[in-house]
Amino acid sequence: MKKQTKKTLWRGLTSTSAVLMVVSLFGTQCAITYTGTLNSYLGTTTSRIVSTGDTSAEDTNYYTSEFGDYSAENLQKLIQATYDESVLEQEEGSVLLRNNNSALPLSSNSHVTLFGHAVVQPVYAPGGANSGAASTGTYVIDLYQALKDVGFSINDTLYDAYKNSSTSRVASNNLTIAGGPNSTGDFNAAPVLGEEPKSFYTAQLQQSWENDYNDVAIVMLAREGGEDCEMMMEDPDGISALALHQDEKDMLAMIRDSGKFSKIVVLLNSAYPMELGWMDEYNVDACLWIGDPGQRGFEGVANLLTGKANPSGHLTDTYAANSLSSPAAYTQSQNVAEWSNVDEVLNSGIVTDSPLNVSYTAAQEEGIYVGYKYYETRYEDSILNPASGASGTAGSSFGGGWNYAAEVTYPFGYGLSYTTFEQTLNSVSYDADQDMFTATVTVKNTGSVSGKSVVQLYVQTPYGDYEKQNAVEKSAVQVIGYGKTDELKPGQSEQVTVTMDRYMMASYDYTNAKGYILSAGDYYLALGDNAHDALNNILAAKGASGMVDQDGNTVEGNAAKTYHWSYDTLDTESYRYSVTGEEVTNQFDDCDANYWQEGSVTYLTRQDWNGTFPTEAPAITCTEEMMQILQGELYTKPEDSLSVSDITQGQNNGLTFVSMKDVSFDDTETWDKYLDQMTVEELASQISDMFGTPEVSSVAKPAFSEGDGTASAGANTFPEEYGDTRDVCLYPCSVVAACMWNSDRLTRRGELMAEEALYCKLPLFWAGGGNLHRTPFGGRNGEYFSEDAVLTNLYTTTELTAVQSRGVTPGIKHVAGNDQELHREGLAVFFNEQAFREQTLRAFEGALSNENTMALMQSFNRLGLVWASSSKALCTQVLRKEWGFNGQQETDGVAGGAYKSHFATSLSAGTTTYCIDPTGSAASAIVEEIRGNDDGNMLLNLRDAVKRYHYMLSHTNLINGLSMNDTVESIMPWWQIALYAIDVVFVLLMVGGLFMMFRAKRRSEEKA
């Protein structure tokens, strides 16, 4: 019995050791996969600098901090500055949507009850890649704490009940459509809003506000999406995620019907435009949109509620009464279509990929009519051109004829204040040398409290016979410039100057001129409180009548707030050539489904709203020719390719990485000598990016780590050497930043993110979302600024230029067309070139031209049939040749998905690096192509990729501390040593256990 017990013991210990060994080895491999992320988080590296000469007289601190030397004391100054900035951004970016009878601000000694489960589970961050301080931690301030800090007395009975409830909001990361190849067959992956049911509010809980805490009911409603997490257009109950749901209705009805509260105030903790037509029904007195406030923004919310700060934010999205009413909603997200012959595609043997990556298409039939460009244009046509069908039933949300006031709750640019302002358009001038318009506007505070005012300028360009005959669509109004006043006291005035680029007024003619045009006819520049107000001013200047505001009230508009000019002839030459001198003409004809099958897609036109309004996503047939392209292997070695032996490798030319810091990109001779020093394998080591790349000893380029986050400098902590290892600041989300309409604040946001990156030794972080809110449902809308391309262009350029000025590269993402998260991998997006140029590309153009930023991340989707990272039209023709972009073009994550594994194709198209490539498959594949096929052409592509990558890095703080005489050595960070040691221990334990188990067995057999 004793012998049997020993055998059992050794068998158990061996099994346990084996399991622990497998877990340990797997964990080690996962950790190695994310080496860059871990190094960044732990403040470690895989290389060290070795000085080989006297560098004492050499200043190698090329990029310095505005706070002085890098020290514990100065880090605290930086941290405080980031927290202060977060509060200011929240104060200026929150939007006051409703304030009946001046319900806000509140007395700071108010006794309040907080309603909504979101008060104990706020949405701090927009999802995706952001700081680890997203929801918990010592340095996170929630609404409860912020209100307590300013003096509010809060009903703790209800708050504690929320806190102790098992209810939780869940943002799904696996959204599916029932019945398709990318489907679980049901809606069990739908997100849970996490609101308490009616039964939660027991009689005992309701008594908690019966006699006290009833000065104000503050209701916070939340919506949460994120990366790979779409807002549902229709949940299992058939309700839009952005509509009010039954539990929320019951809660609001209970508050209203109690009759106990003097005021009802709603806070919208959502980066997504919710449907808000219900506020009258529930007697809501005031509504403040706060978006995702980050870790300190609720302090700003409290300041707004008490009047310590005055709201000055304005919307950068249209708030529709029906979130599904835009034409884009009919062909996006859950409403995308499969190929009409999807089974044939999947069984063809040509397309060898997962059904998830090849089954879905998104035909963007709305064209340019996204957001306010749809609602405002249809509104103008309903007044001036009834024959267009603008008042017809197509697209009407509520039956009968289409009506603006019934469709729009709050227009683009809308926002209230605790005071009032008067704005006067003083003058408009045009500088032909600069190709810029300049407007001067006088703003006067006509109210009784201090506040800031946003100046919004919009333009209307001609829509005449030429445009109608050549399918050049025009929005009735387009935001073109903005400004913001300083804090104005009552009665105080300020003159605001706004400059506007005429190029932003050009339209892309993809059918006739095949380039940008300035139309002949009448142009109107208008000042307005929002897009709808500006359009009414333009209509007044045209002598129109019948205008209404968003509530349906009759208005006359103000022609004095407009400026009019005209061009006699069509101009096809002013923007025929780009900033680099490259001709700008059609590059994306094959991304139009009609290129492949005439008439397969009908684009919305204002000539016929009823006849062309989309009703469902078109089913496109994928031919065998299209399947060959869809498959993705598009590279062939050129017949005239050089031999690999013709290209110099491993030669010592005495050039180091730091010596390239001031070398022009166009100095080909010097760059060639630099690249000649690396072997094929060293070059290839630089293209597989795991949130950082390894050192290159031959040129003394160090290893480094990256950050990733649009609302932070990434999931990074400050180095232990400065005595504080807290996370970098999580700022309010990009939509809150956008709603500030304040370039100074955006600049400061960028500067402080860069300062944090300097302390964390991050030369690069992926920041600045340039995609558009094509619909309100896009999962990553919280990381992007707006539904408008021009505004996004101006914002990204402002913020990212500020980051880069301090020796940190902000890699803007996702280029291009990443408008939804559902089916994002491999989605075939079809469009016409006017929409793509004026919308998707224009949003990125400012940041990526003229080296305003030197890195970008591409997108998962296809442009037509070709993955964005393999699109030569995008990566080489537009980005490099037209815009002069010389920096890093990185894929989105390449792990998983066969369509992303054609590395020779994407590298030759203009991609430089491959994101999340844990096995180095990109590097291996390129080396095999070069060595195995003696492909000198591919080696030249690889050299070019590394040149662009190192050119970018040589303009960052990665050169800090590097002397011309330094060398770089590879080292193993302590955490890798620790993991390997743990692996060895478990291996030895398992081997020892096996030995003892067999030994016990043998002895038992011998004795038997």
Side-chain angles (χ1 to χ4, degrees), residues 55-127:
T55 60
S56 58
E58 188 176 349
D59 183 4
T60 60
N61 194 19
Y62 306 104
Y63 292 99
T64 59
S65 169
E66 70 170 77
F67 295 91
D69 295 336
Y70 298 105
S71 66
E73 180 182 1
N74 288 335
L75 174 59
Q76 293 306 310
K77 294 177 183 177
L78 168 59
I79 290 171
Q80 189 58 53
T82 65
Y83 291 173
D84 291 345
E85 174 61 25
S86 296
V87 175
L88 288 172
E89 288 181 12
Q90 191 67 47
E91 291 173 355
E92 289 206 32
S94 298
V95 182
L96 184 62
L97 297 174
R98 183 183 181 95
N99 197 23
N100 290 351
N101 301 315
S102 299
L104 293 178
L106 305 172
S107 170
S108 61
N109 61 4
S110 296
H111 286 224
V112 305
T113 297
L114 304 180
F115 286 93
H117 187 80
V119 299
V120 296
Q121 192 189 1
V123 184
Y124 292 100

Side-chain angles (χ1 to χ4, degrees), residues 90 94-95 97 118 123 218-223 242 244 248 265-276 278-279 286-293 298 301 315 319 410 736:
Q90 191 67 47
S94 298
V95 182
L97 297 174
V123 184
I218 298 178
V219 184
M220 191 155 81
L221 304 178
R223 293 295 184 271
L242 300 178
L244 205 61
E248 295 168 324
V265 175
V266 171
L267 303 179
L268 299 176
N269 179 205
S270 168
Y272 308 89
M274 292 178 63
E275 298 177 9
L276 299 176
W278 42 264
M279 285 195 282
C287 179
L288 183 69
W289 175 84
I290 63 172
D292 301 340
F298 277 112
V301 173
L315 298 176
Y319 274 52
Y410 297 110
V736 174

Side-chain angles (χ1 to χ4, degrees), residues 376-384 460 476 539 542 606:
E376 302 301 337
T377 305
R378 190 158 181 179
Y379 165 73
E380 180 183 69
D381 284 353
S382 70
I383 293 174
L384 298 183
Q460 182 180 104
L539 290 171
K542 289 182 168 185
R606 61 189 294 190

Side-chain angles (χ1 to χ4, degrees), residues 379-380 383-384 460 476 524-527 531-548 555-564:
Y379 165 73
E380 180 183 69
I383 293 174
L384 298 183
Q460 182 180 104
Y524 293 88
L525 185 69
L527 181 65
H532 190 63
D533 183 50
L535 179 55
N536 278 333
N537 293 338
I538 291 171
L539 290 171
K542 289 182 168 185
S545 60
M547 287 89 78
V548 297
V555 295
E556 295 182 354
N558 187 348
K561 290 189 174 183
T562 66
Y563 173 78
H564 167 253

Side-chain angles (χ1 to χ4, degrees), residues 914-931:
Y914 296 86
C915 176
I916 311 181
D917 184 16
T919 61
S921 53
S924 299
I926 295 302
V927 170
E928 175 59 29
E929 171 65 31
I930 292 169
R931 298 274 193 217

Side-chain angles (χ1 to χ4, degrees), residues 751-768:
E751 289 172 346
L752 289 174
M753 282 186 176
E755 289 287 340
E756 293 174 288
L758 287 172
Y759 263 88
C760 294
K761 298 180 176 64
L762 295 174
L764 163 70
F765 66 96
W766 300 103

